Amino acid sequence: MDQVSAWLHEKNPGLDGPIGVDEDLIEARLIDSMDFLEFVDLLEEISGSSIDLQEVTIDDFRTLARVKERFLAPAGHAEAPAG
């Protein structure tokens, strides 16, 4: 997730501090339509898997938590709750 956060900060130089895992990246305009395909390319590079845009929804990209769950978590392995 560090690479994703770094990319978001690079695209949004006025952004200070960490991005909350549940912050709406689209509503907060941290990802816009011009950057979306570049963001998908970044996720494909990090995950080592291609993303079929016909099999995802915009909500899959809405928060860092959802991005991690949908694209960056190991396949078939749900993460154990923190505690």
Side-chain angles (χ1 to χ4, degrees), residues 4 7-8 11-12 19 23-40 42-43 58 60-64 67:
V4 174
W7 184 88
L8 289 167
K11 292 293 179 181
N12 300 278
I19 301 165
E23 182 169 354
D24 191 319
L25 303 174
I26 297 164
E27 196 169 296
R29 299 185 186 271
L30 298 178
I31 300 174
D32 63 22
S33 58
M34 300 297 287
D35 296 325
F36 183 74
L37 290 177
E38 187 178 337
F39 187 62
V40 171
L42 173 71
L43 295 175
I58 196 66
D60 291 326
F61 302 92
R62 196 165 289 281
T63 67
L64 290 177
V67 166

